[in-house]
Amino acid sequence: EHDYLYWEFCLMTKNGGSKGIQAVLDVKNRLKAIRKTKSGTVQLYDIGNDTSEVKDIANRFPEKAAMLNAKMNSMRGESELWPLRYFD
C-alpha cells in the first residue's frame, strides 16, 4: 500500500495544442491535488466526499495544498519520453 500516488497526463486541446496535468493523491486522507502547469495553482479535492471533484478546497486548506504541491515537485523525474514542455 502507498501513502501517495502520483500521475500525469497530457490533454489535447481543440486547437491542436496540448496541456499537461499533474496529480497526486493522499491515500490516507483521500485528498487529490491537481496542477495544470508546472508552476500553476494547485486545486485540492476531498475525493472521499466529492467524487466528482466539483468543489476546490485549496483555499480552505492551504497547508494541505502546499504539501501536496511539494509532493508533486519531488515525485516527478525528468524523462526524454515525457518532457516537461507539456507543463509550460
Side-chain angles (χ1 to χ4, degrees):
E1 189 170 310
H2 299 279
D3 294 329
Y4 299 94
L5 299 175
Y6 170 83
W7 67 100
E8 57 191 45
F9 53 95
C10 182
L11 295 175
M12 303 309 288
T13 61
K14 290 180 183 179
N15 64 0
S18 60
K19 180 192 297 187
I21 307 287
Q22 293 175 286
V24 65
L25 174 67
D26 178 341
V27 175
K28 179 181 175 185
N29 295 307
R30 300 183 70 177
L31 295 172
K32 179 180 175 184
I34 299 171
R35 184 171 60 197
K36 295 182 180 174
T37 63
K38 186 178 176 188
S39 60
T41 302
V42 172
Q43 298 169 330
L44 184 66
Y45 299 97
D46 175 359
I47 62 168
N49 296 308
D50 179 17
T51 56
S52 297
E53 299 174 15
V54 174
K55 186 169 182 165
D56 181 0
I57 60 171
N59 288 335
R60 287 183 43 213
F61 301 98
E63 69 288 346
K64 296 282 187 187
M67 184 271 296
L68 291 173
N69 186 46
K71 285 281 182 199
M72 279 189 265
N73 289 335
S74 69
M75 295 176 105
R76 188 190 201 287
E78 293 296 323
S79 170
E80 290 181 19
L81 300 174
W82 190 261
L84 278 177
R85 73 175 185 266
Y86 293 111
F87 298 106
D88 294 337

